[in-house]
Amino acid sequence: MLKFSLLISLFFLSTVLSFAQNEKINNYISVADTLTKTALRDRKGYDWLKELCEIGPRLSGSENSLKAIFWAENKMKQLGFDSVWLQPVMVPHWERGEKEFCAVYNGNNFVKELNILALGGSISTDKNGITANVIEVKSFDELKQKSSDVKGKIVFFSRPIDQGLINTFSGYGSAVDQRVYGAIEAAKYGAVGVVIRSVTTKYDNVPHTGVMLYADSLPRIPAAAIGYLDSDFLSEQLKINPELLLKLRLNCRTFEDAPSFNVIGEIKGTQLPDEVIVVGGHFDSWDVGCGAHDDGAGCIQSMEVLDLFKRLHIKPKRTIRCVLFINEENGSRGGIEYGKFALSSSEKHIAAIEADRGAFTPVGFYVDSDSLTIDKISRWLPVFEKASIEWIKKGGSGVDVSKIKNAKALLGFVPDDQRYMDLHHSANDVFEEVHPREFELGTAAMAVMVYLLSEEGL
């Protein structure tokens, strides 16, 4: 009889707990629905992104980057965040200078001018430029095989993104080594310059820049990216005449490091204020276009997450902190500086979310954490569906939040990526390429994640 009574009690308790859990999930779904509808109807963040983009490109160390930083600080204060502050960071200062020039010649005969952009951090040529024969390679292995033919030439790395890969970030990874390390590898064999096929998924002629590196032990040679269609042209012409000449003139310059800032704003938690959830993106952009998708959108979406809580009078249990990291594109010093702060702080960083994949339709979140934490977040999928999120997977987070070494979980917000590489690091990355509904759905998706992390913890 006692055993039967115990079974009845356990059944009753299980039913009560199940009912309570279902009621809690239904409440979360209702909040997620409200967050999403409010973001889509109000479109406030989308309007702020337009304001930001009107400032122009925001390369670290530039006057525009400081204008944007002070704009964001003022905006956060206007929105009434509980605390707003600037975190000092010294950043690289590189300028492109006057428009680059690159042209193909057959002997003394002009053939065609090519669309190019100096790679970020490149040295300049002298005022007359350099003129040399071109050697085309697809990989560092091929460069090594042809090393005896490289001296005194311009190396043309022509390997495109692998268009067969569904994930365009994987495609990007399959080609970007040429941009980052091409000048180092070419200098080993005596090259006088480097040009690369732009790392893009779009068959147009808009060149894409990005960071490149030098080795202190090797000569520094100028490096530039060529538009995709002009890369095809150069490759075909070299098949016809391997003795073609390329004239390259770059006017870029590196200055001393410049003072800059991370922009930080937060809403204090009502119950566990020393437990922090970070949401953010990188506030710098390359110096062409206006960095609308990369990463103005992620930054403004992060700001709007906090504003949605204020608009809807949602009082988070834990502190929600928006961090706009400076200098991700060519140094990651903002992320490094915040990571040092997080390690030295008495606060506990529960989670950090990075938005740096553009403002397209949200599809999922990557989570860098242990399996139990990932399983817990995955159980919230019925709530996330209200904001168009389809999956939670183990994976990488982002360059900046990865510097927060003491967080329980690092998350990467993932929109659909099929068009991202068409735009990033190029003059294509403008406000007009951002769709308001896609943008605001992204804001809502991050707001729902932040809300659940605040309510449930990890």
Side-chain angles (χ1 to χ4, degrees), residues 4 11 16 34 53 88 149 229 251 281 294 315 330 332 350 357 365 374 383 429 432 448:
F4 178 74
F11 175 76
V16 169
T34 301
C53 288
D149 299 323
L229 296 180
N251 303 293
D294 185 22
K315 303 293 186 183
N330 59 341
S332 301
I350 298 297
R357 290 170 169 257
F365 284 94
I374 296 170
V383 184
D429 190 4
E432 289 74 17
V448 172

Side-chain angles (χ1 to χ4, degrees), residues 291-431:
H293 279 279
D294 185 22
D295 182 31
C299 290
I300 300 302
Q301 287 170 324
S302 299
M303 285 172 55
E304 193 180 15
V305 167
L306 274 65
D307 185 60
L308 277 172
F309 276 65
K310 290 190 69 66
R311 254 182 272 170
L312 295 171
H313 306 289
I314 297 171
K315 303 293 186 183
K317 288 182 179 178
R318 293 167 170 86
T319 293
I320 304 171
R321 181 174 295 158
C322 171
V323 183
L324 310 185
F325 302 93
I326 195 65
N327 184 230
E328 184 270 351
E329 293 290 8
N330 59 341
S332 301
R333 295 190 189 175
I336 292 167
E337 192 65 31
Y338 186 84
K340 291 177 183 176
F341 166 78
L343 278 174
S344 64
S345 172
S346 60
E347 299 169 330
K348 181 179 180 181
H349 279 68
I350 298 297
I353 306 167
E354 184 157 333
D356 185 20
R357 290 170 169 257
F360 303 104
T361 302
V363 292
F365 284 94
Y366 285 126
V367 184
D368 181 7
S369 189
D370 60 83
S371 58
L372 289 176
T373 299
I374 296 170
D375 286 345
K376 179 174 182 176
I377 295 173
S378 297
R379 290 197 292 272
W380 301 337
L381 264 176
V383 184
F384 292 133
E385 287 171 0
K386 284 294 181 180
S388 191
I389 293 296
E390 300 171 0
W391 52 259
I392 305 293
K393 297 177 183 177
K394 184 175 180 60
S397 52
V399 171
D400 287 311
V401 300
S402 69
K403 306 299 189 292
I404 307 172
K405 302 300 185 183
N406 57 345
K408 175 69 172 174
L410 301 174
L411 293 87
F413 167 58
V414 184
D416 179 85
D417 59 35
Q418 296 309 309
R419 290 174 287 156
Y420 184 70
M421 298 303 168
D422 292 5
L423 307 170
H424 101 313
H425 296 187
S426 80
N428 290 334
D429 190 4
V430 294
F431 175 73

Side-chain angles (χ1 to χ4, degrees), residues 70-212:
F70 297 136
W71 172 89
E73 178 193 24
N74 187 54
K75 181 67 73 175
M76 288 184 186
K77 288 178 178 177
Q78 289 176 356
L79 295 172
F81 295 173
D82 294 338
S83 301
V84 178
W85 71 98
L86 300 180
Q87 183 180 40
V89 186
M90 294 299 291
V91 298
H93 181 191
W94 176 87
E95 293 184 6
R96 180 174 305 281
E98 295 178 11
K99 189 179 187 315
E100 306 91 335
F101 175 82
C102 184
V104 181
Y105 291 84
N106 184 357
N108 291 324
N109 298 317
F110 172 83
V111 178
K112 184 183 180 183
E113 184 176 346
L114 307 180
N115 276 3
I116 70 161
L117 281 176
L119 295 180
S122 175
I123 63 166
S124 65
T125 62
D126 63 30
K127 64 180 181 180
N128 296 317
I130 56 174
T131 302
N133 291 116
V134 186
I135 181 167
E136 179 181 359
V137 296
K138 292 283 198 300
S139 67
F140 296 156
D141 286 341
E142 185 182 357
L143 176 69
K144 187 175 182 179
Q145 292 165 12
K146 296 179 176 179
S147 59
S148 60
D149 299 323
V150 172
K151 189 173 182 179
K153 294 181 180 178
I154 295 172
V155 174
F156 171 36
F157 289 103
S158 64
R159 183 171 81 252
I161 277 182
D162 184 350
Q163 297 281 11
L165 298 175
I166 296 296
N167 187 316
T168 62
F169 281 82
S170 297
Y172 180 74
S174 73
V176 76
D177 61 334
Q178 302 168 115
R179 190 197 76 205
V180 178
Y181 303 108
I184 293 174
E185 295 300 318
K188 289 178 181 178
Y189 309 113
V192 296
V194 163
V195 290
I196 69 159
R197 179 187 293 273
S198 285
V199 187
T200 177
T201 45
K202 192 169 186 179
Y203 296 108
D204 66 4
N205 209 30
V206 176
H208 293 235
T209 188
V211 73
M212 52 83 63

